[in-house]
Amino acid sequence: MPLYEHVFLARQDLAQAQVDALAENATKIVEDNGGKVVKTETWGLRSLAYRIAKNRKAHYVMLDVDAPPAAIAELERQSNINEDVLRFLTIRVDEHENGPSAMMRRGDKDRERGGRGDRGDRGDRGDRVEFRPREEEVE
């Protein structure tokens, strides 16, 4: 059977339990049509590049699917009907990625590096001139 990656964006006002229920519903649709979901990843609540239906953020979920094309067609049809799904994208892939996806690895790298305030390891560059007040300011 062909391999697919299906990513959908759910409304920002949904609770995480409701987002998980949407992923379970998608899994059930695929399994009922003769396929299987190999992996499910929840990327969390992330900002959108532009507003979609008055939403500035969305819950991102990715499914690695091994299913016939008819199952994918049904999954996309159900996603179109569901009001909680803002957008979705399904692509056919040659093979599924082993381990965490690039989005999950990116989050690990950010946590490993620290926040923006963690810049204490940078020293003085040596090219800055020491500040001295002008002579008229000294009086």
Side-chain angles (χ1 to χ4, degrees):
M1 279 190 281
L3 304 175
Y4 298 93
E5 287 183 1
H6 178 77
V7 179
F8 67 88
L9 282 60
R11 286 192 345 225
Q12 65 185 3
D13 58 343
L14 297 178
Q16 187 61 44
Q18 292 171 306
V19 175
D20 294 339
L22 283 173
E24 286 295 321
N25 187 30
T27 302
K28 185 177 181 316
I29 291 168
V30 170
E31 289 174 351
D32 288 348
N33 288 289
K36 65 178 180 176
V37 174
V38 179
K39 178 173 66 171
T40 303
E41 283 185 0
T42 303
W43 295 342
L45 185 65
R46 302 178 54 86
S47 295
L48 298 170
Y50 54 89
R51 286 194 311 192
I52 301 173
K54 299 183 181 178
N55 289 286
R56 294 186 181 274
K57 294 184 175 190
H59 293 275
Y60 285 65
V61 179
M62 183 190 75
L63 306 171
D64 281 347
V65 181
D66 183 7
I72 299 301
E74 179 63 17
L75 176 62
E76 290 181 344
R77 187 183 77 78
Q78 292 289 334
S79 295
N80 269 330
I81 293 172
N82 195 334
E83 293 178 355
D84 293 333
V85 176
L86 298 174
R87 294 280 192 277
F88 64 89
L89 176 68
T90 307
I91 59 170
R92 186 172 175 176
V93 294
D94 294 330
E95 61 183 57
H96 287 137
E97 193 172 346
N98 293 332
S101 67
M103 293 296 288
M104 297 299 281
R105 286 193 309 266
R106 180 174 162 234
D108 293 342
K109 196 180 298 183
D110 289 346
R111 283 190 289 277
E112 186 179 293
R113 187 176 65 199
R116 287 202 173 269
D118 187 29
R119 305 286 172 129
D121 59 336
R122 293 184 180 180
D124 185 25
R125 296 185 308 204
D127 62 342
R128 295 186 182 175
V129 179
E130 184 178 323
F131 173 75
R132 287 176 289 178
R134 286 186 270 171
E135 304 219 0
E136 57 266 8
E137 292 177 356
V138 176
E139 298 174 32

